[in-house]
Amino acid sequence: MNYNWNWAVFLQISPDGVHTYLATLILGTGWTLATALAAWCMALVFGSIVGVIRTTPHPWLVRLGNGYVELFRDIPLLVQMFLWYFVLPELLPADLGDWLKQLPNASFYTAVVALGFYTSARVAEQVRAGIMSLAGGYVLLPLAYRIILPPLTSEFLNVIKNSAVALTIGLMELTARARAMQEFTFQVFEAFTAATVIYIVINIAVTFAMRRVERRVAVPGMIGTAPQAVSH
């Protein structure tokens, strides 16, 4: 394979005439993190509410929560992105639909909503499992969070990776910037190697930070707690 490597391409000016390609990747990383964090906050709120609802003694509430989880978990994220971005504005009254289409950064808000609802169904499962693993008599939700922190960390990492799907609706996040770079420069390996390294660094940083949090909030005798040494 005859490929001309050119790592200096990152210092070249991108087609916007302002930023280097390295700077555009950093800008894309900012959009990736903003999308992931906003979607994660939404997922944690809605997922917690639905997870609690599914543990109540009221069958109709449980069925409602189950329906929510099945709806957003079973429809592929890409399809949900398209539904929110392309279909929803056409179903609304004309003025409201036009406002949504012309909304600045509409792709960002759409990505947050779609990714937030999609992930909330998965968080709801984790919250429900955490609450169900506890005996009665506790303030259950805060304790459940401490128990399910490892799987919640995994879900947050999934949110970061899944944010790449937003490129299909025009959000210029990290993957979209890398793809644009390779289309203009034909340096495909350099562009996606840089994106891969950035994703790895983000994931390592998140994992390291959350492991420290897990150790600080671990509940003695519960899942994920390191056994204490027995003194003799």
Side-chain angles (χ1 to χ4, degrees):
M1 180 178 179
N2 187 18
Y3 182 79
N4 295 319
W5 294 89
N6 180 20
W7 295 105
V9 68
F10 295 109
L11 301 181
Q12 296 177 9
I13 299 297
S14 67
D16 66 9
V18 178
H19 302 99
T20 63
Y21 283 111
L22 178 60
T24 63
L25 292 177
I26 294 173
L27 289 172
T29 302
W31 281 109
T32 290
L33 293 176
T35 303
L37 288 171
W40 177 246
C41 291
M42 177 181 169
L44 195 58
V45 171
F46 282 85
S48 297
I49 293 172
V50 175
V52 171
I53 285 175
R54 297 177 71 206
T55 64
T56 64
H58 306 292
W60 67 274
L61 280 177
V62 174
R63 286 194 292 269
L64 184 64
N66 290 343
Y68 178 99
V69 169
E70 294 303 321
L71 174 64
F72 290 107
R73 185 177 62 178
D74 293 346
I75 299 176
L77 177 59
L78 179 61
V79 175
Q80 293 190 42
M81 288 271 186
F82 286 168
L83 289 175
W84 286 105
Y85 192 72
F86 295 111
V87 178
L88 178 63
E90 303 301 329
L91 299 178
L92 296 174
D95 292 341
L96 182 56
D98 291 340
W99 176 79
L100 283 177
K101 295 175 185 177
Q102 299 168 10
L103 188 67
N105 297 321
S107 59
F108 167 73
Y109 298 117
T110 302
V112 169
V113 170
L115 190 54
F117 277 123
Y118 176 79
T119 308
S120 69
R122 301 172 62 89
V123 172
E125 286 280 87
Q126 303 292 350
V127 170
R128 175 182 175 275
I131 293 175
M132 296 298 289
S133 69
L134 298 171
Y138 293 96
V139 181
L140 296 181
L141 191 56
L143 190 56
Y145 282 142
R146 297 169 70 180
I147 294 173
I148 65 173
L149 196 55
L152 286 181
T153 300
S154 297
E155 292 299 338
F156 181 49
L157 294 175
N158 285 334
V159 170
I160 296 173
K161 291 180 287 186
N162 287 338
S163 65
V165 178
L167 69 86
T168 60
I169 58 173
L171 181 62
M172 294 303 293
E173 43 71 63
L174 177 56
T175 302
R177 302 268 182 169
R179 189 172 72 169
M181 176 181 169
Q182 67 90 18
E183 288 176 349
F184 282 105
T185 65
F186 302 103
Q187 304 296 147
V188 58
F189 291 113
E190 289 87 340
F192 284 102
T193 295
T196 300
V197 170
I198 293 172
Y199 277 119
I200 290 174
V201 170
I202 292 172
N203 286 352
I204 289 175
V206 171
T207 301
F208 178 77
M210 294 307 295
R211 282 180 178 171
R212 294 193 65 179
V213 173
E214 289 170 20
R215 288 195 294 268
R216 293 179 65 89
V217 304
V219 182
M222 292 293 183
I223 299 172
T225 305
Q228 298 181 355
V230 178
S231 60
H232 296 283

